[in-house]
Amino acid sequence: MASDLAAVNGADTAWMLVATAMVLFMTPALGFFYGGMVRSKNTLNTLMMSFVALGFVGVAWALAGYSLAFGNASGPWVGGFTNALLRGVGLEAHGTIPHVLFMAYQATFAIITAALISGAIVERMRFGAYIAFITAWSLLVYAPIAHWVWGGGWLMKLGALDFAGGTVVHVNAAAAAFVAAILIGPRKDYARQALVPHDVPYTLLGAGVLWFGWFGFNAGSALGANASAGLAFANTLLAPVGTLSAWTLLDLTRARKATAVGAATAIVVGLVAITPAAGFVSPILALVLGAAAAFPSYFAILYRARTRLDDSLDVCAAHGVGGITGALLTGVLAQKIWNNAADGALFGNIAQLWYQLAAVAATIVYSGAMTWVILKVLAAVTSLRATHREEGVGLDVTQHGEEAYSRLEGAILIHERRRVPR
Amino acid sequence: MASDLAAVNGADTAWMLVATAMVLFMTPALGFFYGGMVRSKNTLNTLMMSFVALGFVGVAWALAGYSLAFGNASGPWVGGFTNALLRGVGLEAHGTIPHVLFMAYQATFAIITAALISGAIVERMRFGAYIAFITAWSLLVYAPIAHWVWGGGWLMKLGALDFAGGTVVHVNAAAAAFVAAILIGPRKDYARQALVPHDVPYTLLGAGVLWFGWFGFNAGSALGANASAGLAFANTLLAPVGTLSAWTLLDLTRARKATAVGAATAIVVGLVAITPAAGFVSPILALVLGAAAAFPSYFAILYRARTRLDDSLDVCAAHGVGGITGALLTGVLAQKIWNNAADGALFGNIAQLWYQLAAVAATIVYSGAMTWVILKVLAAVTSLRATHREEGVGLDVTQHGEEAYSRLEGAILIHERRRVPR
Amino acid sequence: MASDLAAVNGADTAWMLVATAMVLFMTPALGFFYGGMVRSKNTLNTLMMSFVALGFVGVAWALAGYSLAFGNASGPWVGGFTNALLRGVGLEAHGTIPHVLFMAYQATFAIITAALISGAIVERMRFGAYIAFITAWSLLVYAPIAHWVWGGGWLMKLGALDFAGGTVVHVNAAAAAFVAAILIGPRKDYARQALVPHDVPYTLLGAGVLWFGWFGFNAGSALGANASAGLAFANTLLAPVGTLSAWTLLDLTRARKATAVGAATAIVVGLVAITPAAGFVSPILALVLGAAAAFPSYFAILYRARTRLDDSLDVCAAHGVGGITGALLTGVLAQKIWNNAADGALFGNIAQLWYQLAAVAATIVYSGAMTWVILKVLAAVTSLRATHREEGVGLDVTQHGEEAYSRLEGAILIHERRRVPR
Amino acid sequence: MKLVVAIVRPEKLNDVLEALYRADVRGLTITRVRGHGGEIEDVETYRGMTVKVELHDKVRLEIGVSDHFVEPTVQAILGAASTGDVGDGKIFVLPVERVYRIRTGEQDQAAVTPVEPTAQPSD
Amino acid sequence: MKLVVAIVRPEKLNDVLEALYRADVRGLTITRVRGHGGEIEDVETYRGMTVKVELHDKVRLEIGVSDHFVEPTVQAILGAASTGDVGDGKIFVLPVERVYRIRTGEQDQAAVTPVEPTAQPSD
Amino acid sequence: MKLVVAIVRPEKLNDVLEALYRADVRGLTITRVRGHGGEIEDVETYRGMTVKVELHDKVRLEIGVSDHFVEPTVQAILGAASTGDVGDGKIFVLPVERVYRIRTGEQDQAAVTPVEPTAQPSD
Ligand SMILES: Nc1ncnc2c1ncn2[C@@H]1O[C@H](COP(=O)(O)OP(=O)(O)O)[C@@H](O)[C@H]1O
Ligand SMILES: Nc1ncnc2c1ncn2[C@@H]1O[C@H](COP(=O)(O)OP(=O)(O)O)[C@@H](O)[C@H]1O
Ligand SMILES: Nc1ncnc2c1ncn2[C@@H]1O[C@H](COP(=O)(O)OP(=O)(O)O)[C@@H](O)[C@H]1O
């Protein structure tokens, strides 16, 4: 089984072990980022929408997802079942790291991408239906798109640049979020009551951990401890630095208040925008890219709140608009002297912008359409939404049988038949 | 002092630096995992039970614990005092990493093992007595057992497999927890009132960080950035993935509610179960092992709640039952082609199962008995429990002179003699 | 651009990638450490004082700060503008890691140092003025002092030992905090009401994450995955272990209550104290140094509370006194056999103590004076403080237009002109 | 002078506040409370422990009004807070002997008359 | 109609609720409060600052009952909430002029009579 | 017996408690509440959503006193809680029919007389 272990590089393995743990850490972080922004009666439900992805999407990945994305029998559209049940995924080198580690690294991406969608449909979806949805989605949407870009599929061959998943992860999740928000419909109180974040510190905590983990996401996508990882790392620091500053200045200009929810959002938008570009642009242009990316997402959020689209936690504005901005700016700002791969439009290679656009468009169309199909099929066999009463009481009690913050009054212990051993 | 630095491998050192930090991070995480499950009046006390282990167990480790576990004068039962006060622990290579780093890595294990016990005795133990208890315990129980399995002692020679401490850490802590819960007795409101978790998000936060840290715990136990670490890593991802899914399905089957406390518990149970097996089984069997481990712990928790054993946060059911399940399944599912060490019963080596059973049994007997002795001696010189009044008021105010969440009403500043410098 | 990539060492790069992420993680952690200690109406403001440093200080660092600290044109006082706008900071090796990574690593230090100051001025400073202050401060104070010690400046040449920034970071921030607390003045309720921490678990969470990140801070300062990093790591574990134990015993001796805020503080004090010494002293002396460092800071906090100096979260007592203690003890306890650099006074080299003193004194004088100048200039163009009404209402609402914890009552949605697309 | 104490559903609070505003009631105080009535009880489970939650979140309004204002106030609340399902809550009208406005020390009627920019409190 | 307001220890709440249940009292509203009485004061210390905490956690029950129910209600609380130590709390009985059930608009007696599946409110 | 209910600013609570202490009022219960009166409204923004916060944090004190204590209690509060700005709050004095001390079952006057180490409840 362990044939060519020789090719496993210790330093690359050391970095990728950590990077994988960091990306895994992002999914609980996402739960807190989202969980702080809902009402307290839906805290656990929102957290669980992230946590449960760690379970079911993980299982789906091991059983078939990895193979569909990265399996050997690689046509342009989807991998085969060669590696289903992790057959053939052993200790041998994949690149310069053990194959099992590569599989684990990619698993963490599949998990968080599915969890990202939940932001659009919090506070109202039935939890059982949600589990079924994201599990199916990870197999039918995420795995093929990952194959297109990273598994040897058609976008890879076309030459679209996506360093760490701006399109595969963020644009993809946002397109699904858009469709899901429409099909599932707005919360019953949406646009009628003030739906205010119940715990902003949680959102900041989530943003802090997400930034930490995102270094694994972006710099880890170099798949080794090399100069490319160093570049991706520095850019993952500098882009959100730029976004956060620009966003704060926008906030101060508009209302003389630098909001904390805005700061948390800015960090995420900056991280999303640099994701496709991380190893392709120079550090100073990463700073510029980050600052520039603040504008479209900032105004997209303001605009969305006035529409009837209850994309509750603005997955479209943050990950969709942010991801598209990043993908296109990658096609503009990329520099061959930094990435050994391709120049962007600004450096004479206008074609690159078209490849980027193609990747974005294909992802939006496929993800949107397939999400629609999956949800329609699910809706035919079960109900997607909690009832109005359940929504009123809160999903924590109705879906999970728990309260997030108990202060103990009036909870009466029910004695079940008690045996008297010890 | 720095004799054979040449043998220090950079990549292995890079990984072990991080792995050590990750394991250290688990102890605060444990505090949050536990702290969310108690009533708000005991929040700080529960957190401090973990944090204080970082102090006193750490000191004990440097003074003598490390030497007792890993000291050179290695008989079958306990290390000597060769390395007491860290004498002889320098920059030279231990394996392929600096000896001081190896010592630090092992210190983090000693700390968290002691802190694990606290889950059985929260909300009622005097804090001073607790400090004395875990400090003594780390020297008299943890260090010898670590020696048996990892320091060259009799279990190592017997051939028991324990990759990262399923027996040394988890079964050991659970046996101590069982004895401590009995000797200290149930909380005064146990089985009379509903003792409900006061902040479930903290418990989920703790579980998230524990998972992150556990990669250092398990994959770090390879002591290098090699294929074995990669395998242990992937298994530490896949096993809890399986447990979490199985547990959620059990929850949904039983009461149609997927509980968040259950999900947090499942993650920990899965991590415990894979701990002894991490570097020994194949990834797909790790997934199976994780899913299988959900069952005994799930029902052990249901059962325990109906007994008079106030193992308040179910250390026995999660770490004891989970640890035993993991240790035995290691003896069943291990595969030489993955670990170069030994096959399990499923692959023809039935003897392995007996070695595993011997390790578990020896640990339970020794740990249980010594814990009993330590607590009895302590009880002879001081009182172990807070008074009923203190328990009623809460241990935060009575043991720590603080409240976790102050909203400021009616707190009057006491002016002490004020000098008027600055 | 990528000339001598050959000199980039994979293992060192792997470690420094992680170390940089860990240090970045410290700034959100600091926000929680501080945020838990203020009143709930100022939670977001306190958190944002840390988070906003990630934005503006980051930008300043990229534009000019890095160049002023580490730029090539190195006189004794300040670097030049050679590397302004990150010109010349590429993928080539700086030491054994990519230059961009070195720049990113140093950026995280600049960010957290500025954020540290905020502890002295929470709950009353105008947020806009705060942003201007720390941005200017990072360029005019931090960058030059970093140059003195690490960029080839006069303290480096003098031979002062500061492994990871005890003087550059902690003494520096504390001197600025002292001046800022005086110029901005005490909170209106200071010494008149009980100003009690509103969420102690946040403070413990912050302390836990700070410890985790500090391994990157100290062991990362070895700039490679080598024996020196291993030593710094072990010492960063053992010193706070000592401080935490000593502090707890002091607490128990004084009032029979081991406070949780005290424990969190002790961890930080221990980490501060070992920072300058981390790679220079033996592990057992690190434990001693940590325990010894508890005393001056412990009593400094008790003393400060009785003065009129509203250094609200005790930056001076923790980082100033702790940093000075550490710097001086480095000059006493350093051992050439451990560090290959210099012995301390205890090992015969009394001169070292004088170098240490010089570094501390120069830092305090320069930082204090320049902070005074910056704040006076700012005060001339804008007001530094929130009004009394704003302070009464809380800075969250008045500076950020948000509440940290909303429970939703009486928040009325304002409908802005609604368009009816989607 | 009367004190109108109303227990309503939290999700109805916004409607009630608006109705009161339209009825020219300006001063009021609210408290988060938990109530028990004829509502269905929720069952929660924490690990092995099953718990019956008998209390539901409600909001309590406390409104000091002069006698002729009682009826409009009560009607406003009844109109806005009712859903028709069990658990809508109750209104209690309590007698009050005296009222003071702390800012001015004014008593009774004057104390609950809203401040007008330049108005003098009318009886 | 009366309003019975009781301040009790939080740890006694469960017992009180049970006693009220047995006394056939179904409707009530509770609030978390903090009280000051003859209890010992706790001292807390946060860094250098020493603080005297004068207020202790209590729970306030508010129960609207018809006149002949006042006595059983008070007795139930007295029986269940008392420990004999300082700090057990107080009961106040306040007069009520009118009561409404928001769901139906019913008034007075009818408003506090628990809903029976098919029963019509008596009296 | 009367029940004095006062709504005050949270930042004035300490002063009020001290004033009450000096006026020999020992027993009281406080609740965190939110109030609406003539105060300026804050505007908050969360992402694209603008929100008007009409309710301000206040503290509600509830003090059971015998009749001749009403005046000193009210005066103590008026003196300590007033700032002169809109939003200082209100005091309501409600009639009470009966009071019980839960610990002893004592009634009325005796029930609100503070415990003295060895004193017997007078009156
Ligand atoms: N007798 C009572 N005294 C005080 N509060 C009551 C009383 N009865 C009901 N409530 C409050 O009103 C809420 C709804 O009452 P409930 O009887 O369930 O509804 P309905 O009035 O629709 O029958 C309860 O949760 C409780 O807070
Ligand atoms: N006069 C009062 N008015 C309102 N609440 C009171 C009064 N006296 C006591 N309380 C409440 O009752 C609680 C216990 O009262 P206390 O006088 O300490 O006990 P006891 O009644 O056993 O002497 C206090 O914490 C407070 O909440
Ligand atoms: N009629 C009322 N009934 C109950 N509470 C009131 C009433 N009027 C005012 N309050 C309370 O008093 C607080 C301050 O009242 P407001 O009218 O703004 O101030 P002022 O009394 O200084 O004019 C409010 O926030 C509210 O809590």
Side-chain angles (χ1 to χ4, degrees), chain B residues 1 10-11 17 20-21 24 32 51 54-55 59 89 398-400 402 404-408 411 415 417 419-422, chain C residues 11 22 191 194 196-201 204-205 212 225 233 237 241 244-245 257-261 284 303 306 308 338:
Chain B
M1 176 136 270
L17 287 165
T20 309
L24 184 102
F32 280 86
F51 273 83
L54 287 162
V59 169
V89 181
T398 59
Q399 306 296 305
H400 305 282
E402 293 167 304
Y405 313 102
S406 281
R407 294 300 184 261
L408 205 65
H415 289 275
R417 306 126 291 138
R419 322 217 194 103
V420 206
R422 271 245 34 79
Chain C
M22 289 165 93
V196 171
H198 89 284
D199 197 319
V200 180
L204 287 168
L205 175 65
F212 173 70
F233 192 103
L237 178 67
V241 156
L244 178 52
S245 300
K257 315 262 179 187
T259 65
V261 173
I284 197 73
Y303 172 78
R306 288 197 231 122
R308 270 184 275 163
W338 286 89

Side-chain angles (χ1 to χ4, degrees), chain E residues 17-81:
Chain E
L17 291 178
E18 223 167 285
L20 288 171
Y21 190 85
R22 263 188 263 105
D24 274 324
V25 177
R26 289 296 136 82
L28 53 83
T29 299
I30 72 162
T31 319
R32 301 169 60 80
V33 297
R34 289 170 77 101
H36 179 67
E39 300 105 329
I40 314 163
E41 286 155 3
D42 289 314
V43 171
E44 302 181 357
T45 311
Y46 298 91
R47 289 190 163 171
M49 189 176 54
T50 308
V51 156
K52 196 170 59 175
V53 178
E54 300 196 316
L55 298 173
H56 294 78
D57 286 336
K58 304 282 166 189
V59 172
R60 177 182 189 272
L61 296 104
E62 192 165 44
I63 314 168
V65 290
S66 23
D67 294 359
H68 64 278
F69 246 89
V70 172
E71 201 48 37
T73 303
V74 168
Q75 289 311 327
I77 300 174
L78 285 178

Side-chain angles (χ1 to χ4, degrees), chain B residues 13-399:
Chain B
T13 302
W15 166 234
M16 293 309 295
L17 287 165
V18 188
T20 309
M22 288 164 93
V23 183
L24 184 102
F25 198 12
M26 292 172 71
T27 297
L30 183 70
F32 280 86
F33 181 73
Y34 281 169
M37 282 193 276
V38 299
R39 288 167 293 173
S40 57
K41 64 183 176 184
N42 298 314
T43 310
L44 295 182
N45 180 251
T46 306
L47 280 162
M48 284 292 282
M49 284 179 137
S50 288
F51 273 83
V52 83
L54 287 162
F56 290 88
V57 176
V59 169
W61 188 254
L63 300 187
Y66 176 69
S67 191
L68 291 175
F70 294 95
N72 281 335
S74 49
W77 306 111
V78 69
F81 283 97
T82 349
N83 294 131
L85 301 177
L86 303 181
R87 252 174 299 132
V89 181
L91 305 181
E92 72 283 358
H94 179 104
T96 59
I97 62 173
H99 195 171
V100 285
L101 181 57
F102 177 77
M103 180 277 301
Y105 185 65
Q106 296 299 338
T108 60
F109 277 61
I111 289 166
I112 195 164
T113 308
L116 278 173
I117 307 170
S118 67
I121 49 180
V122 290
E123 304 201 300
R124 57 197 188 274
M125 189 166 186
R126 269 192 54 242
F127 194 64
Y130 171 76
I131 294 178
F133 166 52
I134 57 163
T135 309
W137 190 88
S138 77
L139 291 173
L140 300 178
V141 182
Y142 180 78
I145 294 184
H147 181 80
W148 298 354
V149 178
W150 294 325
W154 69 278
L155 280 170
M156 194 178 204
K157 287 185 178 129
L158 182 68
L161 296 178
D162 188 359
F163 193 77
T167 306
V168 179
V169 172
H170 297 287
V171 174
N172 184 0
F178 182 80
V179 171
I182 290 172
L183 287 187
I184 288 165
R187 289 164 291 179
K188 75 182 178 59
D189 297 332
Y190 178 68
R192 301 185 58 245
Q193 293 192 9
L195 305 174
V196 171
H198 88 285
D199 197 318
V200 179
Y202 278 168
T203 297
L204 286 169
L205 175 65
V209 178
L210 281 171
W211 198 343
F212 173 72
W214 222 296
F215 289 115
F217 197 95
N218 284 1
S221 290
L223 296 174
N226 45 40
S228 173
L231 177 62
F233 192 103
N235 290 348
T236 305
L237 178 67
L238 292 170
V241 156
T243 320
L244 178 51
S245 301
W247 200 286
T248 303
L249 292 175
L250 279 167
D251 259 1
L252 286 171
T253 311
R254 268 189 76 251
R256 311 191 59 75
K257 316 262 179 188
T259 65
V261 173
T265 308
I267 290 172
V268 171
V269 167
L271 290 164
V272 167
I274 197 62
T275 296
F280 297 134
V281 304
S282 72
I284 198 73
L285 288 182
L287 185 72
V288 171
L289 183 154
F295 292 82
S297 289
Y298 190 92
F299 292 103
I301 285 177
L302 289 187
Y303 172 78
R304 206 276 307 154
R306 289 197 232 122
T307 69
R308 270 183 276 164
L309 177 70
D310 186 12
D311 172 7
S312 314
L313 309 179
D314 285 303
V315 182
C316 295
H319 297 270
V321 174
I324 295 171
T325 306
L328 298 185
L329 287 180
T330 304
V332 174
L333 304 175
Q335 262 176 293
K336 208 163 190 168
I337 52 168
W338 286 90
N339 61 35
N340 279 320
D343 273 325
L346 194 66
F347 302 96
N349 177 16
I350 301 198
Q352 192 57 45
L353 199 50
W354 291 108
Y355 304 154
Q356 300 300 106
L357 208 59
V360 166
T363 302
I364 291 176
V365 169
Y366 180 77
S367 173
M370 278 304 289
T371 303
W372 195 88
V373 170
I374 296 171
L375 283 173
K376 280 297 181 189
V377 168
L378 266 177
V381 299
T382 183
S383 97
L384 299 180
R385 265 191 89 126
T387 64
H388 264 45
R389 191 197 87 89
E390 290 171 338
E391 214 183 312
V393 173
L395 300 196
D396 286 3
V397 169
T398 59
Q399 306 296 305

Side-chain angles (χ1 to χ4, degrees), chain A residues 270-288:
Chain A
L271 290 163
V272 167
I274 197 61
T275 295
F280 297 135
V281 303
S282 72
I284 197 73
L285 287 182
L287 185 72
V288 171

Side-chain angles (χ1 to χ4, degrees), chain B residues 408-413, chain C residues 192-195, chain E residues 52 54-55, chain F residues 8-22 80:
Chain B
L408 205 65
E409 299 113 352
I412 307 282
L413 186 64
Chain C
R192 302 183 58 245
Q193 293 192 6
L195 305 174
Chain E
K52 196 170 59 175
E54 300 196 316
L55 298 173
Chain F
V8 305
R9 293 178 190 277
E11 56 261 43
K12 281 289 173 185
L13 177 62
N14 274 357
D15 294 349
V16 171
L17 291 178
E18 224 166 284
L20 288 171
Y21 190 84
R22 263 188 263 104

Side-chain angles (χ1 to χ4, degrees), chain C residues 339-395:
Chain C
N339 61 34
N340 280 320
D343 272 324
L346 193 68
F347 302 96
N349 177 16
I350 300 198
Q352 191 58 44
L353 200 49
W354 291 108
Y355 305 153
Q356 300 300 106
L357 208 58
V360 166
T363 302
I364 291 177
V365 169
Y366 180 77
S367 172
M370 278 303 288
T371 303
W372 194 88
V373 170
I374 295 171
L375 284 173
K376 280 297 181 188
V377 168
L378 266 177
V381 299
T382 183
S383 98
L384 299 179
R385 268 191 86 129
T387 64
H388 264 46
R389 191 197 88 87
E390 290 171 339
E391 213 184 315
V393 173
L395 300 196

Side-chain angles (χ1 to χ4, degrees), chain C residues 41-56:
Chain C
K41 65 182 174 183
N42 298 313
T43 310
L44 295 181
N45 180 250
T46 306
L47 280 161
M48 283 293 281
M49 284 179 137
S50 289
F51 273 84
V52 84
L54 288 163
F56 289 88

Side-chain angles (χ1 to χ4, degrees), chain D residues 90-92, chain E residues 1-3 27 64-70 96-101 103-115 120-123:
Chain D
K90 300 279 185 283
I91 305 177
F92 301 99
Chain E
M1 297 297 305
K2 303 289 175 233
L3 193 67
V65 290
S66 23
D67 294 359
H68 64 278
F69 246 89
V70 172
V96 172
E97 299 201 343
R98 272 185 287 156
V99 187
Y100 299 83
R101 181 194 295 273
R103 173 162 50 92
T104 56
E106 282 165 302
Q107 219 178 306
D108 298 334
Q109 210 68 349
V112 293
T113 309
V115 240
Q120 51 269 66
S122 64
D123 188 348

